[in-house]
Amino acid sequence: LFHVAADYRLWVRDPHQMYRANIDGTRDLLRAAASAGAHRIVYCSSVAAIGWRADGTPADETTAASVEDMVGHYKRSKYLAEREVMRLAGDEGVPVVIVNPAAPFGPRDVKPTPTGRIVVEFARGRMPAYVDTGLNVVHVDDVAAGHLLAFARGRIGERYVLGGDNMTLREILLILGEHLGRPAPRIRLPRASLLPVALLAELAGRIGGFEPPVTVDALRMARHAMYYSSGKARREFGYAPRPGRVAL
């Protein structure tokens, strides 16, 4: 079994729906699969469930974190879901390997996801400025390949970061601009200046029933560059992602 379903949004009107899907749904699905005889399960978690390092160096599977460190309902739900998966592996013998994808980019992101929205909004000319933050950019096909490698060679009860290259948001936009023939924004805005905009956008989203283009949680997340290392996956099962520039 490959469990890759999740409610991946950085803003949601009813947080209970997200927790039910990401935590309760994961627990029930893995238990049902184990009862049905699944001999090996790969659970798709997220780097959102991993902490960050204050010195800006890339975090990895050993980086300590608590639920209090998780910003927003999505991160909290994925952190708590991963804790439950580890408990199932340790206490109930569920044969599960955990993978933690970074920020995936690539085809068929039809929603789009929060990461895909960066590309869409920039391509539509709706990103006149940027904030000082960073992401670990990985091609979605490499994440898929990492799932298969984890299924074949990953260790039960262990987790593996599936990332690519650590890049600033400015670097990402410059690369997208090269492909699209559009200049990247030059204006860097302080996060505090966007807070009133985010509050108004969230209010409009609640009234109109749509996901706002900028949220308070997204600004809080942007305080720290979300940089990660995939060294463990490279060493243990030969994970080899393409460069982030190619992914974009």
Side-chain angles (χ1 to χ4, degrees):
L1 171 72
F2 291 85
H3 176 29
V4 299
D7 189 340
Y8 178 24
R9 292 177 287 172
L10 299 186
W11 182 87
V12 58
R13 295 178 73 182
D14 180 7
H16 297 292
Q17 293 180 349
M18 180 171 284
Y19 289 101
R20 285 179 59 196
N22 291 350
I23 303 172
D24 300 341
T26 295
R27 179 196 309 113
D28 295 345
L29 181 63
L30 265 59
R31 276 180 170 164
S35 296
H39 64 89
R40 196 158 176 87
I41 300 169
V42 175
Y43 165 62
C44 180
S45 181
S46 169
V47 291
I50 296 176
W52 50 273
R53 289 179 173 162
D55 62 1
T57 58
D60 61 20
E61 298 84 356
T62 66
T63 305
S66 67
V67 69
E68 288 77 19
D69 298 322
M70 300 295 116
V71 176
H73 294 295
Y74 175 69
K75 280 198 168 191
R76 281 195 289 274
S77 70
K78 294 298 285 186
Y79 176 88
L80 293 171
E82 189 177 281
R83 299 283 81 73
E84 182 63 9
V85 170
M86 289 180 172
R87 189 195 66 77
L88 290 172
D91 296 347
E92 301 184 22
V94 175
V96 58
V97 179
I98 301 167
V99 292
N100 301 77
F105 290 85
R108 303 192 182 100
D109 187 359
V110 296
K111 196 170 185 178
T113 60
T115 39
R117 181 180 287 184
I118 295 172
V119 179
V120 173
E121 293 300 306
F122 177 73
R124 290 176 174 171
R126 297 176 181 172
M127 198 174 290
Y130 69 97
V131 295
D132 185 16
T133 190
L135 298 171
N136 183 285
V137 175
V138 61
H139 196 293
V140 68
D141 289 356
D142 293 327
V143 173
H147 279 67
L148 295 174
L149 289 166
F151 178 83
R153 305 178 197 170
R155 289 182 286 142
I156 299 298
E158 292 288 324
R159 62 177 179 169
Y160 300 89
V161 172
L162 301 180
D165 286 344
N166 295 309
M167 307 173 70
T168 67
L169 180 56
R170 172 68 173 164
E171 289 172 333
I172 292 170
L173 297 178
L174 285 170
I175 292 169
L176 293 176
E178 292 173 11
H179 289 298
L180 294 166
R182 177 187 297 277
R186 296 181 178 180
I187 301 172
R188 185 180 69 182
L189 293 177
R191 286 177 292 275
S193 68
L194 291 172
L195 184 58
V197 177
L199 290 170
L200 288 173
E202 289 191 12
L203 177 61
R206 286 191 174 88
I207 295 172
F210 59 87
E211 187 172 355
V214 60
T215 68
V216 174
D217 283 345
L219 293 177
R220 291 174 63 202
M221 290 180 195
R223 289 176 57 195
H224 308 286
M226 289 171 275
Y227 292 160
Y228 301 92
S229 168
S230 303
K232 182 178 178 181
R234 292 175 184 271
R235 292 189 305 269
E236 294 200 12
F237 49 67
Y239 175 67
R242 72 202 74 186
R245 169 179 287 272
V246 177
L248 293 169

